Amino acid sequence: MSDYVVEMTGIVKSFGEVQAVKNGYFTLKKGEIHSLIGENGAGKSTMMKLLYGMYGFDDGVVKVNGEELT
């Protein structure tokens, strides 16, 4: 069993010719608080939309509580 409640590894998401996320990685342990920071267009919002299912991802693995999301 993993220590992480959220694991996003090797995430890839493109919109046509624009690659919004390339090899994205994010982990979260129970009780942690995180902030995603970066420049405009860095992929912060896209990563969160991938996590909650608004967008499907092109490649990579997303696990919540050890269960892989599809």
Side-chain angles (χ1 to χ4, degrees), residues 5-48:
V5 292
V6 175
E7 295 177 84
M8 300 176 78
T9 56
I11 302 300
V12 175
K13 177 62 180 173
S14 296
F15 298 97
E17 296 293 318
V18 176
Q19 191 166 35
V21 178
K22 179 180 179 182
N23 198 29
Y25 176 85
F26 177 78
T27 57
L28 179 69
K29 291 182 179 179
K30 185 176 180 177
E32 289 183 330
I33 298 171
H34 286 263
S35 175
L36 294 177
I37 59 172
E39 296 182 20
N40 290 347
K44 303 173 300 290
S45 296
T46 301
M47 283 288 283
M48 292 302 97

